[in-house]
Amino acid sequence: MSVTARYVHQVSKPAGAPTRDNFAFVERELSLKPGTALVENLYLSVDPYMRQLMDGGWELNAPLEGRSIGRVIESDDPGLAVGDVVWHRHAWRTHALVTADEARVLPTYSDVPLTAFLGILGGTGLSAYVGLTKVAKLLPGESVFISAAAGAVGSAAGRIARLLGAGRVIGSAGSAAKVDHLTRELDFDAAFNYRDGDIIGQLAKAAPDGIDVYFDNVGGDHLEAAIESLRERGRIAWCGGIAQYNATVPPAAPRNLFDVVGKSLRLEGFLVRDYQPVRTELEALLVPHIQSGAITSDETLTDGFDHIVDGFLGMLTGKNIGKMIVKV
Amino acid sequence: MSVTARYVHQVSKPAGAPTRDNFAFVERELSLKPGTALVENLYLSVDPYMRQLMDGGWELNAPLEGRSIGRVIESDDPGLAVGDVVWHRHAWRTHALVTADEARVLPTYSDVPLTAFLGILGGTGLSAYVGLTKVAKLLPGESVFISAAAGAVGSAAGRIARLLGAGRVIGSAGSAAKVDHLTRELDFDAAFNYRDGDIIGQLAKAAPDGIDVYFDNVGGDHLEAAIESLRERGRIAWCGGIAQYNATVPPAAPRNLFDVVGKSLRLEGFLVRDYQPVRTELEALLVPHIQSGAITSDETLTDGFDHIVDGFLGMLTGKNIGKMIVKV
């Protein structure tokens, strides 16, 4: 079988915020090679970390990587059968050649949508789970503040914090609609719009007794406010800084960083790639709640491969609520 | 028995660096009260954290607290006998009334000088030990960088890191004489003078393969250099920031703080008061090495109670090598 595969390549490096001109659509005939399977991609993930890769991590004019879900349509790999639905990393394209080594055949849970494996059951949910349990070591009853809480990792962190028995769960987001979404749909106890300014004051109001854990998706002003609010022996799980990926000069570091000593705080950065085996725990915790309908994977779907670049750029400017996923 | 006890009181708050005028010597007749013991102080500790207490933690025109060693000269407390040598917190004075609850009768190890209980076996050594083992979780073979390494905590950290099997041990200090002391007397593998500037460059030269652990006594520029040098999954034990105690505006935070995420670093502040039970471990590790002469408690002695204020002010400006102790 031969298919006309469509790809998006990065063709130039961005200066600050990326634009459509940094990308190009290309086509290529693709046919099965010995020992591989031909996969038709169904869903593609676009993520904040890709912004960093655009500064030199990604090769220009070459196929890109990213989390993807597809269906095997032809196979010469004994580990993959036609019809298997697989998770793999050959992304930003409509079709890919993959091997069993590179792919994970997804389990077929009833009542669990496929997109959840790019969202709350994927790297996104795993980041949230690892940050709360392995890094911040959240205990039942403790207060948690989550920045960019309407984003992919943030909304998963809110759901998971609740399941882990957190006390007060507080979130920040970048619009009034997102703030509403947090308190109405995602069961946050309090939320505020960071674009209204005075993050320290807004957080103090939302968490009058302080916080024990800060799940940081943002850095910058949010980190300073969290250090102000954290109680003694508080922990910060630092997952990323989407607000800083486009910065051409280093962002201001928190002026109160020295309080890390006085309050015996712990600030720990982590990369989810170091915690892949924890996925088993995550699925055991979440799948029953997804099946019962108690938890949904919070996501925004971009419809059509033609719109993948717009979906990516929109995610970087906060157009998504929850995980941004492209339906091929 | 009645004695004329001499005290130093703080009489005013400093604006920036403290001066002699912030203190006054006073005398008071002191006699035994029921249920107490009268102690003649032998050695007093002056420590960087006291600079912070001067901003409001210490009551003006009142007796001050601090780590002290004295001998019981009269007792109405059944837990304390005349002749006992005790560790207690009634400092900045020649004599004190203490109870058994407030005091620790010091063990009588042969060949261990009393001053060691204010130095490498005291809060100073405990800070170093806790930072390396409980906070940074140093593993044998790992490289350690210690700032203000000729200071009280820093020199103890260097000794202890070596005993724990650290690989390369690197220190910074504020004069050429101190740098010499680190490499010649304290067995550091490399040391540099931070007053020569370019801390990032000097550290890179001293640790060409990077560091695994940073024991931070300083904050500021040193923290930035350490973040630059730390390898993936490196740890920072943050013990204090003597360079910042006199600052009237918040110090600059490290511009590369975001690397905490990319390199999965951990930055953890700690206060030694939370780790008092660990002292047993510390003594078990150190006492045999002190008795054999392999380790000495690195210290600078200020001779005479009249000079306690000068000793304290000198310690704040780095006049000491090792622990600054006042011999009453």
Side-chain angles (χ1 to χ4, degrees):
Chain A
M1 194 188 307
S2 174
V3 296
T4 302
R6 302 184 64 211
Y7 296 72
V8 168
H9 288 174
Q10 182 187 345
V11 296
S12 60
K13 286 191 194 177
T19 64
R20 286 190 193 188
D21 293 342
N22 297 128
F23 296 95
F25 284 83
V26 297
E27 291 189 0
R28 189 185 289 178
E29 288 302 300
L30 201 64
S31 45
L32 195 67
K33 287 183 187 162
T36 73
L38 180 60
V39 169
E40 177 185 24
N41 281 333
L42 304 173
Y43 298 102
L44 304 173
S45 177
V46 288
D47 296 277
Y49 74 84
M50 292 170 169
R51 171 63 190 84
Q52 289 187 295
L53 292 178
M54 291 187 75
D55 288 332
W58 273 346
E59 199 181 331
L60 298 184
N61 303 301
L64 303 178
E65 296 237 317
R67 301 165 184 142
S68 317
I69 290 174
R71 185 183 285 113
V72 176
I73 56 175
E74 188 178 18
S75 180
D76 186 52
D77 184 325
L80 296 172
V82 171
D84 279 351
V85 174
V86 295
W87 180 103
H88 64 91
R89 293 195 155 275
H90 300 278
W92 294 73
R93 68 194 85 170
T94 57
H95 298 77
L97 294 178
V98 306
T99 66
D101 284 351
E102 301 168 329
R104 177 186 176 218
V105 178
L106 290 177
T108 50
Y109 297 117
S110 61
D111 301 316
V112 173
L114 273 186
T115 52
F117 289 97
L118 292 180
I120 200 162
L121 293 177
T124 293
L126 188 58
S127 294
Y129 182 76
V130 162
L132 291 171
T133 61
K134 309 303 174 190
V135 180
K137 298 187 168 67
L138 176 71
L139 298 174
E142 289 189 326
S143 296
V144 187
F145 170 49
I146 301 163
S147 55
V153 174
S155 68
R159 297 282 202 195
I160 292 170
R162 194 56 86 205
L163 285 182
L164 294 170
R168 200 164 168 77
V169 180
I170 299 139
S172 73
S175 75
K178 287 179 179 178
V179 167
D180 274 355
H181 181 73
L182 292 180
T183 52
R184 291 188 190 172
E185 306 293 327
L186 294 182
D187 206 17
F188 278 67
D189 295 300
F192 61 85
N193 182 348
Y194 61 80
R195 294 192 204 272
D196 292 343
D198 187 19
I199 299 177
I200 288 180
Q202 291 200 78
L203 178 56
K205 201 172 149 194
D209 299 324
I211 58 173
D212 301 294
V213 165
Y214 172 44
F215 192 105
D216 191 356
N217 293 303
V218 169
D221 289 352
H222 273 84
L223 180 54
E224 187 167 294
I227 289 174
E228 183 77 20
S229 173
L230 276 161
R231 288 197 277 255
E232 283 199 7
R233 282 173 281 278
R235 289 88 64 202
I236 299 166
W238 199 355
C239 182
I242 191 170
Q244 296 166 7
Y245 290 152
N246 290 333
T248 49
V249 294
R255 287 163 295 182
N256 56 357
L257 188 65
F258 187 54
D259 289 349
V260 164
V261 181
K263 297 204 273 188
S264 299
L265 305 181
R266 177 158 57 82
L267 169 61
E268 187 166 345
F270 69 100
L271 298 174
V272 71
R273 66 172 186 225
D274 294 330
Y275 293 89
Q276 289 304 327
V278 179
R279 191 167 44 201
T280 318
E281 260 179 68
L282 175 71
E283 287 189 13
L285 174 71
L286 289 183
V287 166
H289 294 285
I290 297 174
Q291 291 176 320
S292 76
I295 282 191
T296 52
S297 187
D298 213 39
E299 55 196 37
T300 299
L301 219 60
T302 297
D303 204 0
F305 187 72
D306 287 347
H307 301 117
I308 184 169
V309 173
D310 295 332
F312 174 65
L313 299 178
M315 180 272 303
L316 287 179
T317 55
K319 297 266 191 297
N320 56 309
I321 288 190
K323 179 77 183 86
M324 182 67 99
I325 292 173
V326 179
K327 184 177 179 186
V328 179
Chain B
M1 191 186 309
S2 174
V3 295
T4 302
R6 301 184 65 213
Y7 296 72
V8 168
H9 290 175
Q10 182 188 344
V11 295
S12 59
K13 286 191 194 177
T19 65
R20 286 187 192 190
D21 295 341
N22 298 129
F23 297 95
F25 284 82
V26 298
E27 291 190 0
R28 188 186 289 179
E29 288 303 301
L30 200 63
S31 47
L32 194 67
K33 288 183 187 162
T36 72
L38 180 60
V39 170
E40 178 184 26
N41 281 333
L42 304 172
Y43 298 102
L44 304 172
S45 177
V46 288
D47 296 278
Y49 74 84
M50 292 171 170
R51 170 63 190 85
Q52 290 187 296
L53 292 178
M54 291 188 74
D55 289 331
W58 272 347
E59 198 182 333
L60 298 184
N61 304 302
L64 303 178
E65 297 236 316
R67 301 164 184 140
S68 315
I69 290 174
R71 185 183 287 111
V72 176
I73 56 175
E74 189 179 17
S75 180
D76 186 53
D77 184 324
L80 296 173
V82 171
D84 278 352
V85 175
V86 295
W87 182 103
H88 65 90
R89 294 196 155 274
H90 299 277
W92 294 75
R93 68 192 86 170
T94 57
H95 298 78
L97 295 177
V98 306
T99 64
D101 284 352
E102 302 169 330
R104 178 185 176 218
V105 179
L106 290 177
T108 49
Y109 297 116
S110 61
D111 302 316
V112 173
L114 274 186
T115 51
F117 289 97
L118 293 179
I120 200 163
L121 291 176
T124 294
L126 188 58
S127 294
Y129 182 75
V130 162
L132 290 171
T133 61
K134 309 303 173 188
V135 180
K137 298 187 168 67
L138 175 71
L139 298 174
E142 288 189 325
S143 297
V144 187
F145 170 49
I146 300 164
S147 55
V153 174
S155 68
R159 297 282 201 196
I160 293 171
R162 193 57 86 205
L163 286 183
L164 294 170
R168 201 165 167 77
V169 180
I170 300 139
S172 73
S175 75
K178 288 180 178 178
V179 167
D180 273 356
H181 181 73
L182 292 180
T183 52
R184 289 186 191 174
E185 306 295 326
L186 295 182
D187 206 18
F188 278 66
D189 295 299
F192 61 86
N193 183 348
Y194 61 79
R195 295 192 205 271
D196 292 342
D198 186 18
I199 299 176
I200 289 180
Q202 291 200 78
L203 177 57
K205 200 172 151 196
D209 299 324
I211 57 173
D212 300 296
V213 165
Y214 171 44
F215 192 104
D216 189 357
N217 292 304
V218 170
D221 289 353
H222 273 83
L223 180 55
E224 186 166 296
I227 289 174
E228 184 76 19
S229 173
L230 277 161
R231 288 198 277 255
E232 284 200 6
R233 283 172 282 279
R235 289 89 64 202
I236 299 166
W238 198 355
C239 182
I242 191 169
Q244 296 166 7
Y245 291 152
N246 290 333
T248 49
V249 292
R255 287 163 296 183
N256 56 358
L257 188 65
F258 187 54
D259 288 350
V260 164
V261 181
K263 296 204 273 188
S264 300
L265 306 181
R266 176 158 57 81
L267 169 61
E268 188 166 344
F270 68 101
L271 298 174
V272 72
R273 67 173 185 224
D274 295 330
Y275 294 88
Q276 289 304 326
V278 179
R279 190 167 45 200
T280 319
E281 258 179 72
L282 175 71
E283 287 188 13
L285 174 71
L286 289 184
V287 166
H289 296 283
I290 297 174
Q291 291 176 322
S292 76
I295 281 192
T296 52
S297 188
D298 211 38
E299 56 198 35
T300 299
L301 219 60
T302 297
D303 204 0
F305 187 72
D306 287 346
H307 302 118
I308 184 169
V309 173
D310 295 332
F312 174 65
L313 299 179
M315 180 274 305
L316 288 179
T317 55
K319 298 265 191 298
N320 56 311
I321 288 189
K323 180 75 184 88
M324 180 69 98
I325 292 172
V326 179
K327 184 177 181 186
V328 179

